[in-house]
Amino acid sequence: MTFLNFNSMNMMNTNMLGGFGMTGLGMNGFGGGLFTNCFGDFEYDKMAGFAVANSLFSVGVQAFQSVRSQKEPEVDYKQEINDIDTQIDEQLEKLPGATENDYYTYQVESKYDDAISTADKNIENARASIAEYENTINTLGAKKESEMTAAEKSQFEEAKKKKAELEESIEEGGKLYEALKEAEDAKTQRQEEINEIIDNIDKLFDKKDKIQNSMDMQTLKDADGNRLTRARKECMTENYDENNPASKADIRRAFNEFIKAKDKNEKRTAADKILEMYDSNPKLEDKYSNEVKIIKNWIEENP
């Protein structure tokens, strides 16, 4: 058996009592204290028990604080949806005139087709000019050089020069050829940008739908009460109308059944019963209008 010496016990007593502002309590006279008897002697069993209790209390507080710190923060669904709406608007700005209802049909702006049309027209005009120069060259070239006038010789040489320049301009690497290619590439690039923007908006709407669904489910969970405030499951088999209006407990049970439903058929049964209950009692309209709107949206999206 191991014994604590007086000095170590005295130090432990002083440290513990000092932490509680009670150092020296019961140490003078025979009045007794927290850890002394009526004669002023230390009762070490009390002291040890207090130390263990204090230690356990500290561990409990630390465990509580740890669990509390690990608790997931509440999700602000409305803020998340607002953030996504902002991102959607930023993407729509890149498609002038587009809205959330028609962005997916957006076409490349007309200026890109106009640029291609202009480049095509320039090449057509060049080919027409080449044909005219070719005709001039053939006509004047049919004459002997000695029979040509100075003006004809000049016209002949000019025709050959212009024809060669235009032929070069419409061939790969030429000015007119490259202008057309640049216009076509610009349209292709813009189309790729549009496709990417549309894809981004689609993904943002998908993300928004998921968050909206989570928010809707949370709204329904908040409205379904608890075991003590819900009616029994048997209420789901009753018929409700103005002669047999549903209570808050009834519709809470219906919300709970909708949340717990494992497939679409079960959800539809619960959804129909919610609407029946809602219509049977005007008092429910004031309290559960938002929840019923969620149910109606679900029915519309799941015919």
Side-chain angles (χ1 to χ4, degrees):
M1 179 179 296
T2 302
F3 294 93
L4 294 173
N5 61 43
F6 179 80
N7 290 332
S8 61
M9 288 300 293
N10 185 46
M11 184 179 297
M12 180 173 68
N13 177 60
T14 301
N15 289 338
M16 286 191 299
L17 294 180
F20 284 83
M22 296 184 292
T23 305
L25 285 179
M27 293 297 293
N28 297 317
F30 297 94
L34 186 60
F35 301 125
T36 60
N37 58 24
C38 60
F39 299 104
D41 297 326
F42 284 116
E43 292 189 355
Y44 296 110
D45 289 342
K46 287 184 180 180
M47 188 183 299
F50 179 82
V52 171
N54 185 50
S55 176
L56 292 175
F57 176 76
S58 298
V59 171
V61 170
Q62 291 173 1
F64 172 77
Q65 291 175 338
S66 176
V67 170
R68 188 176 182 181
S69 65
Q70 293 175 9
K71 186 178 179 180
E72 292 186 4
E74 250 182 69
V75 179
D76 189 341
Y77 292 116
K78 288 185 178 179
Q79 184 58 51
E80 288 193 356
I81 287 179
N82 287 340
D83 291 343
I84 290 178
D85 283 338
T86 298
Q87 295 177 52
I88 290 174
D89 289 340
E90 290 173 351
Q91 292 295 315
L92 287 173
E93 288 177 0
K94 300 175 183 179
L95 305 177
T99 67
E100 293 184 4
N101 298 322
D102 61 11
Y103 71 91
Y104 46 84
T105 62
Y106 194 84
Q107 300 293 321
V108 175
E109 293 83 353
S110 60
K111 66 179 182 179
Y112 291 94
D113 288 322
D114 292 343
I116 291 175
S117 178
T118 297
D120 269 330
K121 187 66 176 177
N122 289 338
I123 290 176
E124 289 178 10
N125 291 338
R127 285 179 175 145
S129 296
I130 289 172
E132 291 177 3
Y133 288 129
E134 181 73 24
N135 185 54
T136 299
I137 292 170
N138 290 336
T139 300
L140 293 177
K143 293 183 178 182
K144 293 181 180 180
E145 186 175 351
S146 58
E147 296 175 351
M148 288 186 189
T149 64
E152 289 176 333
K153 288 181 179 180
S154 177
Q155 185 180 5
F156 180 74
E157 294 299 326
E158 182 69 12
K160 289 196 297 181
K161 178 183 177 183
K162 293 293 185 181
K163 176 176 176 289
E165 289 177 350
L166 289 174
E167 286 176 336
E168 181 181 359
S169 72
I170 64 175
E171 293 175 354
E172 185 173 354
K175 182 178 179 180
L176 297 181
Y177 177 95
E178 293 301 323
L180 175 60
K181 185 174 182 298
E182 183 178 339
E184 291 173 339
D185 289 346
K187 180 181 179 180
T188 298
Q189 183 177 351
R190 178 55 178 162
Q191 184 63 66
E192 291 174 352
E193 289 176 356
I194 291 172
N195 294 342
E196 183 178 356
I197 293 168
I198 291 174
D199 186 55
N200 289 339
I201 296 175
D202 285 340
K203 290 177 180 177
L204 286 169
F205 273 118
D206 288 342
K207 188 176 179 180
K208 181 179 178 180
D209 287 342
K210 290 179 181 178
I211 295 174
Q212 184 65 54
N213 288 337
S214 296
M215 185 168 71
D216 289 347
M217 289 303 291
Q218 186 59 55
T219 299
L220 296 179
K221 286 179 181 178
D222 291 341
D224 76 347
N226 54 55
R227 294 177 62 184
L228 298 177
T229 60
R230 296 183 202 124
R232 295 178 179 274
K233 290 188 67 173
E234 287 76 7
C235 73
M236 297 295 291
T237 61
E238 290 190 32
N239 294 321
Y240 298 92
D241 53 32
E242 58 183 8
N243 296 318
N244 182 34
S247 66
K248 290 181 180 179
D250 294 328
I251 202 168
R252 283 170 180 160
R253 167 57 67 182
F255 285 136
N256 185 253
E257 293 300 314
F258 179 87
I259 293 170
K260 295 190 304 182
K262 296 179 180 178
D263 56 47
K264 185 183 292 187
N265 290 334
E266 288 184 7
K267 277 193 178 296
R268 184 56 186 259
T269 299
D272 290 340
K273 185 58 66 175
I274 289 170
L275 296 186
E276 180 184 324
M277 290 177 174
Y278 184 75
D279 292 337
S280 75
N281 188 348
K283 293 181 179 179
L284 298 178
E285 296 179 6
D286 296 332
K287 185 170 181 59
Y288 297 110
S289 58
N290 289 335
E291 289 79 0
V292 169
K293 183 178 180 181
I294 292 172
I295 297 299
K296 288 181 177 179
N297 287 340
W298 183 88
I299 292 174
E300 184 177 341
E301 294 170 1
N302 297 272

